[in-house]
Amino acid sequence: LLGVGEPFLVRWQSAEFRGEAVAVLVALTVGAVGPIAAYPFEAVLYGAGRVRLLGILSVVEAAANLTASLLLARPLGVVGVALGTTVPSLVIRMWVLPAFAARTFGGRFLPLALRAWTTPLLATAVVALALRALVDPATPLGWPALLGLAAGTQVVFLGLHALLARLAPPALRLATLPVPAPVPTEPPAPVSA
């Protein structure tokens, strides 16, 4: 969406959806990074039964979203509303929630964030920048071209992600969990009649 959002909107709607609509798409796309990045932390907290703070953070994020959207709507219009959604999402989901998860399980935020996010964010940035360099937003693209770009970028992203993960220094690699040894089982004792 960052790389070919404008041609997508033009194909899907019309040429009138340039400018402000693209800015909204970009803001909401960036805002979607927060919930995606926070999902593993949320899953671990759910699994550990630490749901109270998750509920509180969701309410705080919603209140901040509403407040920021209302404050930014008048000066910036719909772009302000998009930014009012994006900023609280990024703050809560990419800073507060992971910091709480790290503290809950005895870790530190920065090393955890670097290990969890460096490789996917680098791969995403490279793919998005390559798309911006290769695709002229003013050039109309058909559905086959857009679908081909979507499929191709997924392949490139996954390959690049795998390469970066393999080349990452040990400080940026996610720890692998040891595989537990099988528990020996004893045959059941014979039952006497």
Side-chain angles (χ1 to χ4, degrees), residues 41 102 107-118 171-174:
F41 301 109
R108 290 187 350 257
F109 170 73
L110 189 57
L112 179 64
L114 286 173
R115 286 179 174 210
W117 295 332
T118 299
L172 294 180
R173 290 187 190 151
L174 287 173

Side-chain angles (χ1 to χ4, degrees), residues 47-146:
R50 307 289 176 109
V51 296
R52 182 171 183 238
L53 181 79
L54 291 173
I56 292 169
L57 286 178
S58 292
V59 170
V60 168
E61 180 183 349
N65 178 337
L66 178 62
T67 303
S69 294
L70 290 173
L71 290 173
L72 295 173
R74 183 167 299 275
L76 300 175
V78 71
V79 174
V81 176
L83 290 173
T85 299
T86 296
V87 172
S89 172
L90 293 176
V91 169
I92 296 291
R93 306 290 174 163
M94 291 192 74
W95 179 56
V96 176
L97 181 63
F100 173 75
R103 192 178 74 226
T104 298
F105 298 107
R108 290 187 350 257
F109 170 73
L110 189 57
L112 179 64
L114 286 173
R115 286 179 174 210
W117 295 332
T118 299
T119 300
L121 286 177
L122 279 175
T124 299
V126 169
V127 170
L129 290 172
L131 277 172
R132 292 295 286 181
L134 296 173
V135 177
D136 178 17
T139 303
L141 297 174
W143 286 117
L146 287 168

